[in-house]
Amino acid sequence: MKKAIDIRIKGIVQGVGFRPFVYNHALSHNILGSVLNDTEGVILHAEGDPADLKRFLEELPGAAPPLSMIMSVSEREAEVTGCTGFSIEPSRVAAERLAFYSPDVAVCDRCRAEFFDPADRRYLYPFITCINCGPRFSIVRDIPYDRVNTSMDTFPMCDRCRAEYGEPADRRFHSQPNACPVCGPRLSLHSAGRDLIASDGEDVARMTVDLLRKGAIVAIKGIGGYHLAVDARNDRAVAELRKRKRRPFKPFAVMVGSMEEADRFLEIGPSERALLLSKESPIVLLKEKSAALSREVAPGLTFIGLMLPYTPFQHHIFSLDPGMALVMTSGNVSDEPIVYRDDEAFERLGRIADYFVVYNREIIGQGDDSVLYVVDETPFFIRRSRGYVPAPFLSSDTRRPILAMGGDLKNSFALARSSFIIMSQYLGDMADPLTYRVFRSTVEHFIRIFDAEPEVVVSDMHPAYLTRQYAGELGLEGKRLIEVQHHHAHVAAVMEEHNLEMPVIGIAFDGTGYGTDGSLWGSEFLIASRGGFERAAHFSNFPLPGGESAIHDVWKIGLSLLHQCYGDAWPVMERDEASAGVIEIIKKRINSPHTCSIGRLFDGVAAILSLSRTVSAEAEAAQLLEETAMRGRIPAHPYIIPFSDSDPIVIGTEGLTSYIVSMIDKGINTEDIAAAFHQAIIHTTAAVARRIREKTGIYTIVLSGGVFHNRILLSGIIRILKNDGFIVCTHRVVPCNDGCIALGQIAVAKDSLIR
Ligand code: ZN
Ligand code: ZN
Ligand code: FE
């Protein structure tokens, strides 16, 4: 007796070769029927012996194509219609639009082999791709994922490409970016003045390598935007790029041609290796074992951000010079968003780059390279973007579509609908007007391509945040507005990732976030559920002279800490006109908000230790402090910073300052002081956590906040808490910095919608 079922599959199932996979899977299991795409995913009708059907269904998820991501399968019994074969039917528009796109991924091994095969018709063709690789999110303009809704719409396929596209057995069946040298996009090399220098792919590659070897700065159009490339071994060239890009400190990412090259000068562990070779092909922070690059690449740091080639063109240029090492940094000026449109590229990067490698296909979904680091073999995100966005996260039912704005720094927003959450790519800091504009247009783009017109809009509480202001504007259209405290969002993000429903002890060690009392928080121990929180402990407040701009003048924070502890008789730091001015604004409470931010505490300690005076980027001083601590000895008896027995517990910042000063007085070297400082934070954190556990009986601890990018702190705190019997949860799928805020906002908003 034959049986029939209708199956609905949701997830990333379009543009990834899902229908031909189902077709072959059906044939090999004696199943008849049909498969088709609609705006919600894939629908299939299957008829066969009950035993065959059962096996067909069971084996389906495990055999699915590499870029697919099945998020739900639902089936119901259907009528046997007596199908005589298995067919792929034309796409349909469903009542609901809820299809997902694959992220952009690295060129696959088979395409790469064809690319370097002189007999192949796509030999050295830089836009070679198949259903298992290449651009997706970056070329999508609208739903459903069909060629007409992508930036491939201006390239009609030639007969041979069309034949591949129409043949279910072909690796390029319904591959939307399918193209060849006859019909597809083309590469060209230009001067900064837009003069055409070369237009043949081979010439472009050869000349680009030549120019790079000579020290030129070349803007290269990649997947999500332009890179600025320069020889990473050429001091003068890298220094020139820093100058032109107005980026004095922030490390540059580097690309080398192969793992063997990377192994020569970097320490690479198993997890790091796997990340580098993954289809997502991110930047991974790796420890230098020998100095093979210009010191200008990452001044003063021992970790280098490295990635391997992931586009055919990148493979091409490294094949011409396998020993080359290139700086490949996002094409932008200072903190502006990545440039991804061609006319804009010549306009905005014209003063930085000497040459431009361009192609005539539009980038629609822009994005930077993703960045990860590995601690104790566990990967953590710093930036979640190309390769990962817009893969959805499975979530509990959100009831109403939610838009979460995230924060104003390191922004990434999120959309939630039915049982999915989609995080946007990294967008940057809203203080930059261009970034704010890109943020708004990207929000609109996401609402369109995921068809998720929000009914609920969530933002941070910070009155000065532009993201909050934008939420307010959208609220005028009758949407419900929800505000979430910054560190509650940090903690809730981890709860969402780990599916935690019971209250936790949430530790948010952060830059700054707006607190419910109007001060700037940032060393929070919260007893938190999704619905709310209590502040259980924090460091004591200290004045932040000049307000949040003190992020750059870290010496002012150092002075403020010393003055708080010793008054006008402060030791260590100089007494001059500038310091007198700072003391005066502290005393008169002019633009000196109070904060307990642990990020700022790191800045201040770095200043007291003379490691930093002014910095160009947030956390630069803290990074130098961590680097210094790595060279120091761990003290035999870690210092526990005194803390009160009040509610909330207050950890005495003065105690920490006097501890640092006493070590300076004893003539202990800076490396050892930096190490002792880290240990003091780690052991004090554990002591406070234990006290909170005694009071509440809560054993689950959640860690979040940008300060956990500090490896010593992260691994130290995890280790000590686990030894103490805590269950410790950290971020796995989003960064611990403010790139997680939108996810946490969604978690809190979902909770308030079910009440
Ligand atoms: Zn491929
Ligand atoms: Zn063609
Ligand atoms: Fe934060």
Side-chain angles (χ1 to χ4, degrees), residues 181-182 489 660 735:
V182 175
I660 303 285

XYZ file of all heavy atoms in Angstrom, residues 181-182 489 660 735:
34
model
N 32.862 33.789 -18.683
C 33.524 34.945 -19.320
C 32.692 35.535 -20.463
O 32.838 36.705 -20.797
C 34.826 34.366 -19.857
C 35.038 33.091 -19.138
C 33.700 32.592 -18.711
N 31.801 34.720 -21.062
C 31.007 35.213 -22.193
C 29.879 36.131 -21.724
O 29.599 37.153 -22.346
C 30.418 34.018 -22.988
C 29.485 34.501 -24.094
C 31.535 33.147 -23.536
N 20.429 43.819 28.647
C 20.464 43.282 27.282
C 21.680 42.373 27.086
O 21.576 41.291 26.496
C 20.488 44.420 26.258
N 47.574 49.285 43.263
C 48.466 49.559 42.124
C 49.596 50.491 42.561
O 50.775 50.243 42.285
C 47.680 50.229 40.957
C 46.499 49.366 40.508
C 48.616 50.574 39.789
C 46.817 48.160 39.700
N 29.019 38.459 19.309
C 30.142 38.958 20.109
C 29.710 39.316 21.534
O 28.530 39.559 21.786
C 30.579 40.234 19.375
C 29.893 40.231 18.058
C 28.673 39.387 18.209
